[in-house]
Amino acid sequence: MTTQPRTEKGQQTQAKLLATALECFAKDGYKASSMRVIAAKAGVSLSHAYYYFKSKEDIVAQLLLNLRREQYEQCSGMLNEGNTLEANIRAVLDSGVEALARYHDFGPAFLRLMLSRDMGNDEISRIELELWEEVVAGSRPLPPMGIRRDLPKFLLLVSRQIFSAWAFDQSPQQRRSRLLMKNMAPVAAKFAVLCRLPVVRSLFEDVLALMDPGPAELAAAAKSTPAQLRRPKAS
Amino acid sequence: MTTQPRTEKGQQTQAKLLATALECFAKDGYKASSMRVIAAKAGVSLSHAYYYFKSKEDIVAQLLLNLRREQYEQCSGMLNEGNTLEANIRAVLDSGVEALARYHDFGPAFLRLMLSRDMGNDEISRIELELWEEVVAGSRPLPPMGIRRDLPKFLLLVSRQIFSAWAFDQSPQQRRSRLLMKNMAPVAAKFAVLCRLPVVRSLFEDVLALMDPGPAELAAAAKSTPAQLRRPKAS
DNA sequence: TTCCTTTTTTGAACGCGTTCAAATAATTGC
DNA sequence: GCAATTATTTGAACGCGTTCAAAAAAGGAA
């Protein structure tokens, strides 16, 4: 959403455009829902769609955001009933794939959105992280004290990995990545328990440190320009 | 490469087309190197380019394959000199990012190629796996016996994760993902050593089993159609 | 050579995402 | 009221990846 409508009619038009787009997406899939089709079905000109949405990807971002919100509402309640960590992880993974299943051919577009850091994906990331926080906080028994704080971030990481497998999964019904999800939950739970042991625990911390390095380290890396660019190959 | 040229002139034309494409890619980047430009610079018509390459992505696949081959030749020799596992991992990761650095704006296209299973990326995967096998086989001391066989596959997995971070890394010089690479090597090496402990070892095996499930398990998953498709939401 | 089949090459078109200058409508200040 | 400013809407165009029918060239059998 690039341009905020400043009049009431504008709001309506934008809303209608978005609603139409989501409808088309659900019915005809990603490729078939061209900007021309969406604009036509919404009763506005093609170029007008670009007045409110700066790109097609921008609309897709809204779709993904909607789906995540749906998912959040759907399974937020189920995470506080004293289930095991494994069950909670499973619930979130399942609801995630369930919400997105109809849009599997959006996979690559979704992935691009989530992995690139430039669009309105902050909100999406926030929702996802919040979910994983509820997964951890609502599980009984609670995971080891030392990792309780960072476990959600770790689970977010893991779930992204799974999501990326799902996005490109060509097996019928995405069977492969669904199986991956099913097996991932117990492994992650087991890992959390094992984090009581210092050896495993330090691995956990290492991995997390990899994913977002402290600002000090980043700054240090900024200074040392390795500068050993390759000699131009003879070709 | 969709159509194999059947005459000698055809071979030449295809080769010229490919060479021109790689040249354009190196000089002008992904977006600027349109099929029209490539065809024009190669001295053939636009549609003729599609006679030999079924898509632009097809040419990009060739580029990636070339880069991987280059990387393989460059660092294959360095892996047999009795360095530590960590040093070997670092060498491969470094040479990888070095080979691809010029083509960073191909990142998303590359990623798509490597993650989707439908094109000629078998060859690319094969080369990568071979490299990781040399990393393991050439390191001193050798990693624990029990994981020696599967460690290469695990390292391939890890490297893909890093690659995906690199592909979307918007920081100047891809500083963030380069730092990630630098820190990943010691963690992976440490992990390999810790695999002597049964706890850690079983984690290793769990993760690997996740990534390619045995055929039995896949077949089982195929039968049980969960079939709890969502009730159509009220919109 | 001539005819026929196969391979190579082309021009024209399609629909796509996106941009832009210009037209229309709404709002505001006087 | 009217003019000036701002918000909305449009049509036409651009370059892109891709497709297709058909022309041109090459090769082989008679």
Side-chain angles (χ1 to χ4, degrees):
Chain A
M1 278 180 191
T2 251
T3 298
Q4 221 66 3
R6 265 167 274 269
T7 172
E8 186 162 352
K9 187 151 146 222
Q11 296 244 4
Q12 273 177 276
T13 308
Q14 184 185 41
K16 165 122 199 180
L17 214 32
L18 184 56
T20 309
L22 297 198
E23 201 178 308
C24 288
F25 283 162
K27 185 148 61 78
D28 305 322
Y30 184 63
K31 266 194 74 176
S33 302
S34 70
M35 292 295 278
R36 281 167 172 83
V37 168
I38 293 172
K41 284 200 180 170
V44 303
S45 75
L46 167 63
S47 47
H48 193 40
Y50 282 92
Y51 183 67
Y52 289 121
F53 300 92
K54 75 168 189 291
S55 64
K56 188 181 183 182
E57 198 178 29
D58 200 3
I59 306 187
V60 173
Q62 283 293 323
L63 168 61
L64 184 55
L65 182 56
N66 282 8
L67 291 174
R68 285 293 181 220
R69 280 206 251 255
E70 240 176 69
Q71 181 195 2
Y72 183 85
E73 284 175 21
Q74 181 194 323
C75 70
S76 175
M78 301 162 37
L79 299 175
N80 257 333
E81 303 181 351
N83 292 310
T84 62
L85 177 63
E86 176 181 342
N88 276 356
I89 292 176
R90 186 82 199 277
V92 169
L93 289 181
D94 277 351
S95 73
V97 81
E98 205 179 283
L100 267 52
R102 307 187 57 192
Y103 300 95
H104 181 252
D105 68 319
F106 285 67
F110 282 162
L111 198 68
R112 198 190 188 103
L113 269 171
M114 290 186 38
L115 294 187
S116 78
R117 205 177 285 260
D118 45 17
M119 294 209 53
N121 59 2
D122 296 352
E123 176 81 2
I124 295 174
S125 300
R126 223 209 53 232
I127 292 181
E128 289 182 333
L129 188 56
E130 228 163 276
L131 258 181
W132 292 114
E133 273 161 2
E134 292 192 19
V135 161
V136 172
S139 67
R140 293 293 119 78
L142 278 168
M145 190 57 180
I147 67 164
R148 216 173 285 169
R149 194 177 52 105
D150 290 328
L151 189 54
K153 215 181 293 182
F154 180 80
L155 290 175
L156 176 61
L157 231 57
V158 171
S159 73
R160 293 245 161 125
Q161 181 68 31
I162 294 183
F163 181 73
S164 125
W166 173 84
F168 288 102
D169 189 351
Q170 295 301 329
S171 67
Q173 322 263 19
Q174 300 92 48
R175 214 176 277 144
R176 275 190 72 94
S177 48
R178 279 172 198 256
L179 178 59
L180 174 63
M181 278 177 26
K182 178 178 147 215
N183 293 340
M184 181 63 87
V187 175
K190 180 176 164 188
F191 180 67
V193 171
L194 288 182
C195 274
R196 283 222 169 72
L197 307 176
V199 236
V200 181
R201 167 78 180 282
S202 76
L203 266 181
F204 173 82
E205 275 161 7
D206 283 343
V207 171
L208 265 181
L210 286 182
M211 291 312 156
D212 47 11
E217 207 170 355
L218 242 182
K223 300 224 169 179
S224 79
T225 318
Q228 34 173 319
L229 296 178
R230 187 105 249 91
R231 51 198 173 289
K233 73 170 200 286
S235 167
Chain B
M1 278 180 189
T2 251
T3 298
Q4 221 65 6
R6 261 166 277 267
T7 171
E8 186 161 354
K9 189 151 149 222
Q11 296 245 5
Q12 273 177 278
T13 309
Q14 185 186 41
K16 167 122 197 180
L17 213 32
L18 185 56
T20 310
L22 297 197
E23 201 178 306
C24 287
F25 284 162
K27 186 147 61 78
D28 305 321
Y30 183 63
K31 265 192 72 174
S33 301
S34 71
M35 291 297 277
R36 281 167 172 82
V37 167
I38 293 172
K41 285 199 180 169
V44 303
S45 76
L46 167 63
S47 47
H48 193 42
Y50 281 92
Y51 183 68
Y52 288 121
F53 301 93
K54 77 167 190 292
S55 65
K56 187 180 183 184
E57 199 178 27
D58 200 5
I59 306 187
V60 173
Q62 282 293 325
L63 169 61
L64 184 53
L65 181 56
N66 281 8
L67 291 174
R68 284 295 181 220
R69 281 206 249 256
E70 238 176 69
Q71 181 195 0
Y72 183 85
E73 283 174 22
Q74 182 194 322
C75 68
S76 174
M78 302 161 39
L79 298 175
N80 257 333
E81 304 181 351
N83 292 310
T84 63
L85 177 64
E86 174 179 342
N88 277 356
I89 293 175
R90 185 81 199 275
V92 168
L93 289 179
D94 277 352
S95 72
V97 81
E98 204 179 285
L100 268 52
R102 308 188 56 194
Y103 299 94
H104 181 252
D105 68 319
F106 285 66
F110 282 162
L111 199 66
R112 196 187 190 105
L113 269 171
M114 289 186 40
L115 293 187
S116 78
R117 204 177 287 259
D118 45 18
M119 295 211 50
N121 59 3
D122 296 352
E123 176 83 3
I124 295 173
S125 300
R126 222 209 54 229
I127 293 181
E128 288 181 335
L129 188 57
E130 225 162 280
L131 258 181
W132 292 115
E133 273 161 2
E134 291 192 20
V135 161
V136 172
S139 67
R140 293 290 120 71
L142 278 169
M145 190 57 181
I147 67 165
R148 217 173 285 167
R149 192 176 52 106
D150 290 329
L151 189 54
K153 214 182 292 183
F154 181 80
L155 291 174
L156 175 61
L157 231 58
V158 171
S159 74
R160 293 247 163 122
Q161 181 67 32
I162 294 182
F163 181 74
S164 126
W166 173 84
F168 288 103
D169 189 351
Q170 295 300 330
S171 67
Q173 323 262 17
Q174 301 89 49
R175 212 176 279 143
R176 276 189 70 95
S177 48
R178 279 172 197 257
L179 179 58
L180 174 62
M181 278 177 27
K182 178 178 147 216
N183 293 340
M184 182 61 87
V187 174
K190 180 177 165 189
F191 180 66
V193 171
L194 288 182
C195 274
R196 283 222 168 71
L197 306 177
V199 236
V200 180
R201 167 79 179 284
S202 75
L203 266 181
F204 173 81
E205 276 161 7
D206 283 343
V207 170
L208 265 182
L210 286 182
M211 290 313 155
D212 48 9
E217 207 170 356
L218 243 182
K223 301 226 167 179
S224 81
T225 320
Q228 36 172 317
L229 295 178
R230 189 103 247 90
R231 53 196 172 288
K233 73 169 199 289
S235 165

